[in-house]
């Protein structure tokens, strides 16, 4: 049985490792643009040069899994075609290309490895006193602004967004604002319409919907709301956001040989996060293993327990949620929350590498 896994993020990596363990005879090929597994939940640390986030895939994947560095151009009938022209045949395919970032021109996307690399290099060139503007009030933008402010206190850091931490409870949002204030992050509640060159050489301008202009030396785009168009380009049925439609077993409704997992899958109620990607990757691998062994597959099911956000190296926040991901009033913050968040990051990486991972099933 030939299996191709497209994408070596959390979903793709655990799927490949779990399938290799449960179906030893499977010929598994991992296709990924780079030879490293990237801990996307730590990209803010990479940007601020406060932590390592990339691990060679040779250290993450089980023996026998072939790594093909490259990018898939199109998925066909039992075949994937790479951008360099090579084709790979498959009996089953796991599509795990994640989400991507489409920034305004003049800004650097920080939700991808390539963007984080570019942002890191740009930050190292900034002299003290420079202004860094982070656009986006979700967890990506918050963590990046906090990490940069904590690691480079001589920089002036600004966070611009329509809302700050909208996925958290009111009390947790207030706590995040307190942490940002303590770090010296200037929070501006507004919508960014343009990032352009300013009248001063080497300076930029962030233009707001109100007509106001903010000077900036470096603008980082922290809004991740798009997915690669590989599913649509390949003829798979997708929703309005471009995510592939799947059945109750996480198989494409267009081709049951294809499992779609992680951010690029249109799973009702799913949140874009490693907390979603890991169970989906593991379940898809389990489902294929059951099918291969002639057993009846089980529908995908999971529940959430909360969200975790870093507020620098010594501060953090844990938001407790109901199983359907709606937030409760309860949250934990401070040094203890930062340590738990660090532990969560380590656990998910360990789970992706070992394929040992468990999750809370959904309500029946």
């Amino acid at each position: 049985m030939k299996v191709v896994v497209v994408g070596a993020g959390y979903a793709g990596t655990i799927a490949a490792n779990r399938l290799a363990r449960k179906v030893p005879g499977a010929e598994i090929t991992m296709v990924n643009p780079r030879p490293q597994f990237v801990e996307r939940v730590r990209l803010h640390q990479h940007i601020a040069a406060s932590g390592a986030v990339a691990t060679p895939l040779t250290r993450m994947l089980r023996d026998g899994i072939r790594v093909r560095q490259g990018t898939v151009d199109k998925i066909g009938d039992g075949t994937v075609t790479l951008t360099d022209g090579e084709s790979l045949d498959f009996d089953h395919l796991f599509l795990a290309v994640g989400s991507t970032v489409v920034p305004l021109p003049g800004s650097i996307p920080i939700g991808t490895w390539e963007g984080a690399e570019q942002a890191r290099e740009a930050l190292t060139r900034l002299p003290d006193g420079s202004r860094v503007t982070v656009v986006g009030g979700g967890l990506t933008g918050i963590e990046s602004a906090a990490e940069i402010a904590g690691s480079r206190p001589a920089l002036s850091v600004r966070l611009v967004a329509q809302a700050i931490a909208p996925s958290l409870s009111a009390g947790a949002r207030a706590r995040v604002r307190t942490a940002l204030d303590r770090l010296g992050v200037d929070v501006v509640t507004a919508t960014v319409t343009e990032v352009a060159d300013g009248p001063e050489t080497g300076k930029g301008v962030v233009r707001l919907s109100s007509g106001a202009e903010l000077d900036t030396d470096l603008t980082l785009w922290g809004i991740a709301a798009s997915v690669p168009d590989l599913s649509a380009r390949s003829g798979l049925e997708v929703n309005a956001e471009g995510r592939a439609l799947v059945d109750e077993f996480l198989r494409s409704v267009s081709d049951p040989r294809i499992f779609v997992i992680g951010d690029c899958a249109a799973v009702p109620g799913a949140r874009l996060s490693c907390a979603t990607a890991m169970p989906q990757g593991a379940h898809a691998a389990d489902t294929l293993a059951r099918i291969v062994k002639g057993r009846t597959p089980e529908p995908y099911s999971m529940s959430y327990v909360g969200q975790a956000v870093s507020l620098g190296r010594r501060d953090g926040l844990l938001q407790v949620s109901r199983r359907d991901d709606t937030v409760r009033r309860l949250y934990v913050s401070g040094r203890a929350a930062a340590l738990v968040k660090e532990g969560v990051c380590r656990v998910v990486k360990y789970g992706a590498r070992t394929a040992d991972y468990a999750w809370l099933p959904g309500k029946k």
Side-chain angles (χ1 to χ4, degrees):
M1 180 178 68
K2 294 183 178 180
V3 178
V4 174
V5 181
V6 183
Y10 292 101
T13 300
I14 193 172
N17 284 329
R18 196 141 167 148
L19 186 65
R21 189 177 72 183
K22 295 200 169 191
V23 187
E27 297 179 24
I28 304 172
T29 300
M30 171 73 77
V31 181
N32 198 57
R34 64 197 69 85
Q36 301 98 0
F37 169 84
V38 174
E39 295 180 76
R40 194 165 181 175
V41 294
R42 292 188 188 271
L43 282 179
H44 56 283
Q45 292 178 247
H46 184 70
I47 293 166
S50 58
V53 304
T55 303
L57 282 172
T58 52
R59 288 169 46 193
M60 290 294 297
L61 298 175
R62 294 174 69 94
D63 292 342
I65 298 176
R66 176 195 174 204
V67 176
R68 173 60 167 88
Q69 187 176 348
T71 302
V72 173
D73 178 61
K74 191 174 183 180
I75 302 169
D77 184 11
T79 303
V80 294
T81 303
L82 277 59
T83 53
D84 62 7
E86 182 183 351
S87 295
L88 301 173
D89 295 333
F90 66 84
D91 298 302
H92 296 278
L93 181 138
F94 290 79
L95 181 58
V97 291
S99 56
T100 190
V101 183
V102 182
L104 283 178
S107 63
I108 298 175
I110 53 176
T112 66
W113 169 252
E114 291 78 14
E117 279 272 77
Q118 186 181 355
R120 178 189 176 106
E121 293 174 2
L123 271 173
T124 61
R125 296 192 297 268
L126 284 183
D128 292 350
S130 298
R131 168 74 75 176
V132 178
T133 302
V134 180
V135 181
L139 302 191
T140 297
I142 291 168
E143 290 188 324
S144 299
E147 197 75 25
I148 294 168
S151 301
R152 294 282 306 274
L155 294 177
S156 180
V157 181
R158 175 196 295 127
L159 180 63
V160 184
Q162 290 178 300
I164 304 299
S167 65
L168 305 182
S169 65
R173 292 196 298 271
R175 175 61 174 79
V176 168
R177 290 293 293 265
T178 298
L180 293 174
D181 289 344
R182 186 182 301 122
L183 289 166
V185 177
D186 178 26
V187 177
V188 178
T189 305
T191 300
V192 175
T193 59
E194 184 181 11
V195 179
D197 292 332
E200 185 178 343
T201 303
K203 294 281 186 179
V205 171
V206 174
R207 295 196 173 100
L208 309 180
S209 57
S210 63
E213 295 186 349
L214 305 174
D215 291 337
T216 185
D217 295 290
L218 176 65
T219 304
L220 307 179
W221 191 265
I223 303 173
S226 303
V227 296
D229 66 350
L230 177 58
S231 295
R233 193 168 69 242
S234 300
L236 302 182
E237 190 172 350
V238 300
N239 65 7
E241 298 174 322
R243 293 178 170 82
L245 300 181
V246 296
D247 64 14
E248 60 183 340
F249 307 112
L250 301 180
R251 299 177 302 189
S252 165
V253 298
S254 304
D255 188 339
R257 296 171 295 180
I258 300 174
F259 291 87
V260 189
I261 49 180
D263 292 354
C264 62
V267 178
R271 166 164 45 92
L272 306 188
S273 65
C274 67
T276 302
M278 293 286 286
Q280 288 186 5
H283 181 83
D286 291 350
T287 297
L288 181 53
R290 292 177 73 91
I291 292 173
V292 169
K293 296 172 182 177
R295 299 169 61 189
T296 302
E298 298 179 353
Y300 171 70
S301 174
M302 75 156 289
S303 293
Y304 293 96
V305 295
Q307 302 173 57
V309 55
S310 294
L311 300 169
R313 289 298 82 214
R314 295 179 177 82
D315 193 8
L317 185 141
L318 306 175
Q319 171 69 69
V320 179
S321 72
R322 300 177 181 86
R323 294 176 69 174
D324 65 357
D325 206 29
T326 57
V327 297
R328 297 182 181 274
R329 294 175 61 184
L330 178 63
Y331 67 90
V332 179
S333 62
R335 178 63 172 164
L339 292 173
V340 172
K341 170 66 187 298
E342 174 62 24
V344 169
C345 292
R346 295 186 184 191
V347 165
V348 293
K349 180 183 178 182
Y350 175 85
R353 179 173 59 83
T354 63
D356 292 325
Y357 193 79
W359 61 95
L360 186 67
K363 282 188 174 182
K364 294 185 179 179

